[in-house]
């Protein structure tokens, strides 16, 4: 039998983490091949941030990540920071801007980021093989053999950068988790994160008039809270604040909504009543909320009366309905629309300094496949850049 072609590093997955890792390993003089079953590299980069890629967050820090071991990400995030990636974008001349809350987006197309990475890979001597299905991975005396539909490759280091399960339509698979299990690494249970939440049919019917209404709200789950946009949809609730809380929410849990956070609704309604008792409650409330939302709440809490007809108790009920709304989502839209996958390769089996498997020399896991999941806002790409960069120094 002929010996398989041999390289130093095989990276599986040409996404953000895999490309970054391959570039860095290539710059160290390692012979690197990146394999991906997709037809194009960096597809999630291309579609991210509405096509403008929220490529990092200026303030990325470990507290913006969920993991069974929240301290695991510290080392990589410190060694390759948001500033490091910004400097890379600047060297390349890719224009960017800060949108809100430290979130940095390209001024132009996200494709520029993909092109930067694939150019850098080529310059570093790395090779990209697309449309390549992986058919088997074996350990060998001096590393691994990776069988593909187009032949077998031997390598000393194998980097799994195959991402999570989100958006299967784009080629997301549970591949990385299967590899981890095969090599004896534990997994943290996976579930969709940064995903819209759904409501039961009765709630949906009641809230149907609100489809399309957006507010700057506050959404809480226990002590965790996010103050960002909140959107009512035909299926339930969406918008940044809901996506953020979805990563903390578990089935059966309640969430609390404040639709006019910071406003003393009771005091404002009382003032309105004193100033003009003949106005309708909906007119008064519409100073604080979109009209349709004000209508739904006052229909339910007050009926067709004037403000003057409402007692303090009734005004407090409206206040409570606006800023103390508690509701129980029935589920989420699932991996079909989730931006990330929570859980994944248990960090207990990985060395945080290198991203290598502790018990399997030469095997690395980077990016979303690892049990490190960021908030919405550029944090997930920063984890992909940081973890990929770190593994690229050792693989
Ligand atoms: C719609 C959307 C928008 C997003 N927007 C943002 C954003 O603006 N900012 C942000 O920080 N994060 C964003 N994210 C999250 C971010 O895209 C991911 O966290 C990030 O891409 C993870 O990088 P990765 O390299 O680990 O995995 P991926 O980018 O998912 O790359 C994995 C690669 O592995 C390949 N692969 C998978 N299985 C196999 C297999 N069996 N064989 C061969 N190849 C395989 C895939 O084809 C893919 O190319 C968004 C996600 C989505 C879905």
């Amino acid at each position: 039998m002929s010996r398989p072609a041999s390289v130093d590093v095989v990276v599986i997955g040409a996404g953000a983490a895999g490309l970054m890792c391959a570039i860095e390993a290539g710059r160290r003089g390692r012979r690197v091949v990146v394999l991906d079953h997709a037809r194009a590299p960096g597809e999630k980069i291309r579609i991210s941030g509405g096509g403008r890629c929220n490529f990092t967050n200026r303030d990325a820090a470990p507290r913006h990540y969920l993991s069974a071991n929240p301290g695991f990400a510290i080392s990589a995030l410190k060694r390759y920071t948001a500033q490091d990636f910004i400097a890379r974008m600047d060297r390349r001349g890719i224009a960017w801007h800060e949108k809100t809350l430290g979130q940095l987006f390209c001024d132009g197309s996200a494709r520029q980021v993909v092109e930067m990475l694939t150019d850098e890979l080529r310059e570093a001597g790395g090779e990209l093989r697309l449309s390549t299905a992986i058919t088997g991975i074996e350990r060998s005396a001096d590393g691994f053999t990776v069988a593909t539909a187009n032949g077998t490759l031997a390598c000393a280091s194998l980097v799994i950068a195959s991402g999570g399960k989100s958006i299967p339509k784009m080629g997301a698979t549970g591949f990385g988790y299967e590899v981890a299990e095969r090599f004896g690494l534990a997994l943290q249970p996976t579930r969709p994160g940064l995903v819209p939440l759904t409501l039961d049919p009765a709630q949906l019917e009641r809230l149907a008039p609100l489809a399309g209404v957006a507010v700057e709200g506050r959404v809480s789950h226990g002590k965790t809270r996010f103050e960002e946009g909140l959107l009512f949809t035909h299926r339930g609730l969406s918008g940044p604040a809901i996506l953020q809380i979805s990563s903390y929410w578990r089935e059966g849990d309640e969430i609390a909504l404040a639709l006019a956070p910071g406003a003393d609704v009771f005091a404002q309604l009382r003032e309105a009543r004193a100033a003009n008792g003949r106005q309708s409650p909906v007119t008064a409330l519409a100073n604080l909320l979109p009209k349709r939302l004000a209508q739904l709440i006052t229909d339910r809490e007050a009926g067709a009366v004037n403000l003057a007809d409402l007692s303090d108790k009734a005004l407090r009920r409206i206040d409570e309905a606006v800023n103390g709304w508690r509701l129980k989502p029935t589920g989420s839209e699932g991996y079909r629309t989730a931006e990330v996958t929570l859980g994944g390769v248990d960090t207990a089996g990985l060395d945080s300094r290198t991203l290598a498997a502790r018990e399997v020399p030469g095997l690395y896991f980077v990016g979303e496949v690892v049990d490190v999941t960021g908030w919405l806002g550029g944090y997930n790409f920063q984890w992909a850049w940081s973890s990929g960069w770190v593994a690229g120094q050792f693989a």
Side-chain angles (χ1 to χ4, degrees), residues 188-376:
Q188 286 293 327
T190 50
R191 61 198 168 89
L194 301 180
V195 64
L197 296 175
T198 53
L199 299 172
D200 68 39
Q203 281 173 318
L204 269 187
E205 195 183 320
R206 191 162 63 81
L207 301 181
L210 300 183
V213 169
V215 292
E216 281 300 306
R218 183 173 61 228
V219 184
S220 323
H221 174 267
K223 289 197 174 120
T224 309
R225 51 173 58 181
F226 292 94
E227 215 165 302
E228 286 182 64
L230 188 159
L231 174 69
F232 293 88
T233 73
H234 289 292
R235 292 195 201 89
L237 299 168
S238 189
I242 292 292
L243 300 190
Q244 299 279 33
I245 216 72
S246 73
S247 295
Y248 292 85
W249 176 82
R250 303 291 178 114
E251 230 146 278
D253 291 354
E254 244 184 15
I255 57 172
L257 308 182
L259 302 172
D264 186 339
V265 178
F266 172 69
Q268 294 202 30
L269 290 178
R270 221 160 59 145
E271 259 171 46
R273 186 180 61 187
N276 177 6
R278 284 167 59 185
Q279 71 178 305
S280 71
V282 65
T283 308
L285 195 57
N287 290 322
L288 289 168
L289 294 178
K291 181 83 187 287
R292 274 193 277 161
L293 191 49
Q295 187 81 56
L296 186 110
I297 289 173
T298 51
D299 280 356
R300 197 180 61 198
E301 304 298 338
V305 294
N306 290 334
L307 267 181
D309 302 322
L310 295 179
S311 63
D312 279 3
K313 202 171 152 196
L315 298 187
R316 283 201 193 282
R317 259 203 330 268
I318 296 176
D319 183 325
E320 184 67 13
V322 174
N323 278 338
W325 191 348
R326 309 190 72 81
L327 92 178
K328 209 182 250 190
T330 49
S332 82
E333 289 189 8
Y335 290 119
R336 188 179 59 82
T337 60
E339 285 200 11
V340 286
T341 303
L342 290 147
V345 178
D346 193 333
T347 58
L350 303 176
D351 180 341
S352 64
R353 279 180 38 262
T354 62
L355 276 301
R358 289 184 187 282
E359 307 292 336
V360 190
L363 181 63
Y364 296 78
F365 290 86
V366 295
E368 198 178 316
V369 72
V370 179
D371 172 33
V372 173
T373 307
W375 287 2
L376 185 79

Side-chain angles (χ1 to χ4, degrees), residues 138-164:
E138 298 298 335
R139 243 178 125 170
S140 63
D142 44 9
F144 303 86
T145 54
V146 180
T148 78
N150 313 320
T152 299
L153 270 172
C155 58
S157 298
L158 176 62
V159 182
I160 306 299
S162 52

